């Protein structure tokens, strides 16, 4: 029996990727390295799609060493933007679709970006950059509270 999810990421594309390695890290003794802790500044956006039932979504992230990080961090900046097309089966009603876009959309794209960033930075000194987890419920609350 094949089960099909009622919410699917139909397609996606990487729109932008910027990785700035901190060369100072290479010359700093290991005891001078900062912990691999980065602050993540995400922005999630929703756009209409020309295809009935689909929604175009975009997630942009900028990662920088955590505030107050002591020592040299491997990456000065890691930034990326990914677009996705989120689709639903016919039985998912409009209100539920809107709810799922905001609950599932950023999480799906975040997971994709985690893999893309790990792959892109895999051969960097010290190993791949691992995108930290993000509480998107809180991110979306803060975004909604900001004036447009």
């Amino acid at each position: 029996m094949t089960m099909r999810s009622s919410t699917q990421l139909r397609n996606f594309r990487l729109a932008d990727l910027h990785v700035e390695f901190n060369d100072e890290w290479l010359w700093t003794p290991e005891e001078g390295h900062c912990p691999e802790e980065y602050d993540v500044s995400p922005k999630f956006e929703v756009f209409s799609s020309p295809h009935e039932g689909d929604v175009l979504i975009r997630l942009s992230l900028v990662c920088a060493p955590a505030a107050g990080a002591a020592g040299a961090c491997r990456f000065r900046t890691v930034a990326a933007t990914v677009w996705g097309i989120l689709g639903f089966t016919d039985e998912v009603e409009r209100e539920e679709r809107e709810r799922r876009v905001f609950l599932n959309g950023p999480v799906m794209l975040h997971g994709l970006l985690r893999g893309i960033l790990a792959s892109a930075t895999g051969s960097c000194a010290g190993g791949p950059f691992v995108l930290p987890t993000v509480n998107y419920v809180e991110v979306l609350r803060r975004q909604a509270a900001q004036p447009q």
Side-chain angles (χ1 to χ4, degrees), residues 52-120:
E52 179 81 25
D54 287 348
V55 177
L56 188 60
I57 55 178
R58 177 172 64 192
L59 178 64
S60 300
L61 299 170
V62 177
C63 306
C73 293
R74 289 187 309 139
F75 299 95
R76 292 181 195 272
T77 307
V78 176
T81 299
V82 65
W83 287 83
I85 299 172
L86 200 58
F88 304 92
T89 56
D90 292 338
E91 63 268 6
V92 180
E93 295 187 22
R94 181 180 173 86
E95 296 79 27
E96 180 63 15
R97 287 179 188 206
E98 289 177 12
R99 191 177 79 75
R100 290 185 187 187
V101 165
F102 288 97
L103 288 178
N104 298 334
V107 174
M108 290 174 162
L109 294 181
H110 186 96
L112 285 169
L113 277 178
R114 182 176 266 207
I116 290 168
L117 292 172
S119 179

